[in-house]
Amino acid sequence: MDRRLKGLQIYAIDGSNLPEETMNKSEEDLVKTRSETIFRAACHMNAIYDVGARMFVDMDIQKATRKDEHSAAKRLCARVRESQDVIFIMDRYYHNFGLEYQIHLQGHFYLIRMKKR
């Protein structure tokens, strides 16, 4: 079954923290919590999800202490080599003119959910 929207391949980009065990971690791997004495270890995953195929097609893993969703999204979009038109759907935190311009230069489209003011 083809799940395209008027011929567009639909990719969603989003990120999430993935918890890790805290044993054998250096201080740069530990993230402060709201408590002064409790730390946690995590990595941050940014991924591209193919909405039509219902599967992840690529991901970028970063240390949670140095996560940068804009640069991760740029790397993910640069690795998409689709010959057909693609629309990237992202949350408001991914709004970045550099990313949007890169997607435009690739000949693809983007939709970013913005916060209502």
Side-chain angles (χ1 to χ4, degrees):
M1 174 185 228
D2 189 13
R3 298 175 190 228
R4 297 174 190 266
L5 176 67
K6 298 188 179 192
L8 292 171
Q9 183 75 34
I10 304 169
Y11 286 156
I13 298 178
D14 204 1
S16 182
N17 283 327
L18 304 173
E20 293 182 307
E21 52 82 21
T22 57
M23 296 171 24
N24 302 322
K25 298 289 184 206
S26 65
E27 283 189 30
E28 72 177 25
D29 295 330
L30 299 175
V31 179
K32 275 183 104 171
T33 61
R34 291 181 186 159
S35 170
E36 294 285 327
T37 59
I38 299 175
F39 293 86
R40 64 177 174 85
C43 61
H44 190 78
M45 175 189 72
N46 292 280
I48 292 182
Y49 181 77
D50 185 336
V51 175
R54 296 181 181 170
M55 62 185 280
F56 290 98
V57 294
D58 199 0
M59 69 177 60
D60 189 273
I61 305 290
Q62 302 171 325
K63 290 187 176 201
T65 54
R66 293 190 297 244
K67 73 177 182 177
D68 182 356
E69 292 185 326
H70 294 141
S71 65
K74 283 182 179 181
R75 285 191 298 274
L76 288 169
C77 290
R79 293 194 297 245
V80 171
R81 302 279 185 229
E82 299 291 333
S83 57
Q84 73 272 7
D85 288 332
V86 173
I87 184 166
F88 294 100
I89 300 173
M90 297 167 269
D91 206 1
R92 63 183 169 261
Y93 303 111
Y94 286 92
H95 170 61
N96 175 283
F97 290 117
L99 171 62
E100 294 157 11
Y101 185 62
Q102 175 185 328
I103 293 170
H104 168 75
L105 290 178
Q106 287 180 269
H108 301 309
F109 303 95
Y110 59 89
L111 174 67
I112 300 176
R113 181 180 75 94
M114 301 304 283
K115 186 176 182 179
K116 183 179 177 181
R117 293 195 184 248

